[in-house]
Amino acid sequence: MASGPGLPDSLVLEIFLHLPHEAVLSAGFTCHQWFSVSRDEFLWRELFYSYYRIPRSVPRHPASASWYREFKRLYDCIPCVEVQTLKEHHDQVLHLAFSHRGHRFSSCSKDCTVKVWDTEKPDGTISLVHSYSMRQFNWGYTQFSQFNADDTLLLVSGVYLGPHHSSSGEIAVFSLENYTLLSRVRNKPYDVFGCWLNETHLISGNLHWIGNMTSCSVLWLNKAFQDIESENVNVVKRLFKIQNINASTIRTVMVAHCRRHDSPDLLLDYEAQSQAQAQRTQQHQPLFFDLGNTDNEEEEEEDEEDEERGEKRVSAHLSSYNPSGLQHVIHGCQNIAARDRELETKVARLMGRRRTKAPDPNLVSPSAPGEGEDKTYLLFTTGSLTYSPHQIGIKRIMPDQMTTSGPVLGEERSTEEFFDSLDHVIDIHGHIIGMGLSPDHRYLYVNSRAWPAGCVISDPMSPPPIAEEIDLHVIDLKSLREERRSLRAHRAFTPNDECFFIFLDVSRDFVASGAEDKHGYIWDRHYNICLARLQHDDVVNSVAFSPADQELLLSASDDSTIKVWRSPRMLRLTQPPRHPPRARKLISSLLGQRRANLNGKP
């Protein structure tokens, strides 16, 4: 009996629009007509927006060839499948860092070791290559690591336990050829972390307290090889000297090389692609202002009394229960201390106006379209209202500051100008707990926990309460403004004085972050949507994408493990192919089915 005419394409399409995408794909194998309709662009556009819940005003990814492939990219290319768990660390794993080639990565842990791992085994598994313990140098733990640009050296930052139970930081540099220790550099406070400026020079910090609430941060350029060829050859130079007020300090330094700002991997600009931004609700924009009035005093040699004085400032947080008869006296003492802190801040600001080098407005300014200038920015967290880091400072590094050779940096200042001003400051209005650069260094991603809207800070030692939700801000380093609304999904629970850094990482298309809710998170950079949650048994401190393959992701946790995540697509490609059935079995099977049909069986 001849079959009747098939359904028209328009009716099949209308049916497919009401089906989930899995059913559409399955139905497409029914016949040639349904297969053709199941690949319709309009169909996959509708499925895309409804499944991922993306506003229809957001355009398709600029590099995408079709809606079907774009749906498949977000569904099949996210590193969300756990393929391996590394358990070689014996305490909390704090940080992960890939080499630029992606063939190695390093891990730091509370067990005071730095470990180097191999990612290029033929079977796709990851194996330990080398482990080095820093306990012999009186370190408490390792906290951060970074490969230099040509992957020949490894910078390792940790907490150094000095005398009188004081904690400062130290940076060690290792050769990756034979894993020998090349140099060690002091780093204070330890959460400056340190970073590479180029292949052979790194940046460290030092801190000098010049009052109860006022300090001076000095950023140093260090030669990685601390060999002394001559007494006239410098191995360390001062880069910048910046005053801190209201108990704030400079932390978390990183370098952005702005060579590819006009040709980024991904341009996060909806207005250039469509007029979608005009339809969005107005989001909080960070404040931009110039800190030409930041002030400092002349640098002094640091001693242990400075450390004790710095530790005393934390004691103002600790409220204690007291008998009611002493409440009035205690309250009076607190008022006096608050007035003293306010007076010190006013004096420091006044002194800073006179003793700080005037900023050059041309050093850091929004780049004009087509401007090919190669700028190098030093980025760091700082503050001006309270001790918790709530601002991002930007300082441009000039070409003559890229090496330790030549005269000591800063000698060009007049005798009255003790300190450097910040070139640009971005206020995040919250406690900053993480920063990461996109691979092209065009965008800076910032983890922060917001302060209440409209809050006023009257006491720098009592910052506002912080939200449990973590906001992930996106800042365009070309225009020097926040480009997007904040990403959200991850959470943190520790209060202000116990906050710790949660490291994030950015690939070409994705951004990932850890969280205190025992999960890592992955977002799509273009669509601003959360795509995956990566489960651990404790706080996730760090995540890292492979620079060679963004479908490989690592996550590190307080559960002492490193988990390896790959995309479903990569997992299929690495699995051995299934063997097709032998011809004899296939023929006998077909003959059996034919006999059954002849006997009238279904």
Side-chain angles (χ1 to χ4, degrees), residues 519-539:
H519 288 86
Y521 291 83
I522 303 176
W523 294 265
D524 183 81
R525 292 178 58 195
H526 175 73
Y527 298 108
N528 276 14
I529 57 172
C530 184
L531 296 169
R533 298 171 73 221
L534 315 175
Q535 187 170 1
H536 273 268
D537 294 330
D538 210 330
V539 172

Side-chain angles (χ1 to χ4, degrees), residues 21-22 51-52 70-78 568:
H21 69 276
E22 298 98 333
Y51 182 81
Y52 291 110
E70 186 66 353
F71 192 108
K72 187 176 180 180
R73 178 183 74 85
L74 296 187
Y75 192 83
D76 208 30
C77 300
I78 309 302

Side-chain angles (χ1 to χ4, degrees), residues 312-451:
K312 288 179 182 178
R313 75 188 193 280
V314 183
S315 62
H317 290 291
L318 306 176
S319 60
S320 57
Y321 177 78
N322 296 277
S324 58
L326 297 178
Q327 290 295 331
H328 180 72
V329 176
I330 293 173
H331 183 68
C333 293
Q334 289 175 344
N335 288 339
I336 294 174
R339 286 196 296 269
D340 289 345
R341 290 195 291 265
E342 184 179 356
L343 179 60
E344 180 181 329
T345 299
K346 289 181 178 179
V347 172
R349 289 184 185 276
L350 180 62
M351 182 180 63
R353 293 190 182 97
R354 300 173 51 194
R355 303 292 179 137
T356 301
K357 183 181 178 181
D360 186 345
N362 297 319
L363 289 181
V364 177
S365 57
S367 301
E371 183 180 355
E373 186 177 3
D374 183 4
K375 295 180 179 180
T376 300
Y377 292 155
L378 181 64
L379 313 174
F380 45 85
T381 62
T382 182
S384 62
L385 304 176
T386 180
Y387 70 87
S388 62
H390 56 277
Q391 295 172 332
I392 298 169
I394 302 178
K395 191 74 181 158
R396 186 174 177 185
I397 302 176
M398 305 305 292
D400 60 346
Q401 296 177 300
M402 298 289 186
T403 176
T404 56
S405 61
V408 175
L409 303 180
E411 286 187 347
E412 73 280 359
R413 300 186 188 92
S414 70
T415 56
E416 296 297 320
E417 295 172 342
F418 296 148
F419 311 111
D420 296 285
S421 60
L422 301 187
D423 296 327
H424 198 77
V425 172
I426 301 174
D427 198 302
I428 299 298
H429 195 74
H431 192 130
I432 298 173
I433 59 171
M435 294 200 303
L437 285 165
S438 61
D440 52 23
H441 287 202
R442 169 70 182 263
Y443 298 99
L444 176 68
Y445 287 74
V446 182
N447 266 337
S448 77
R449 297 173 61 184
W451 291 337

Side-chain angles (χ1 to χ4, degrees), residues 169-186:
E170 192 170 66
I171 296 172
V173 178
F174 291 89
S175 167
L176 292 174
E177 181 179 358
N178 51 17
Y179 300 104
T180 56
L181 178 63
L182 300 178
S183 61
R184 290 161 56 202
V185 177
R186 191 177 187 183

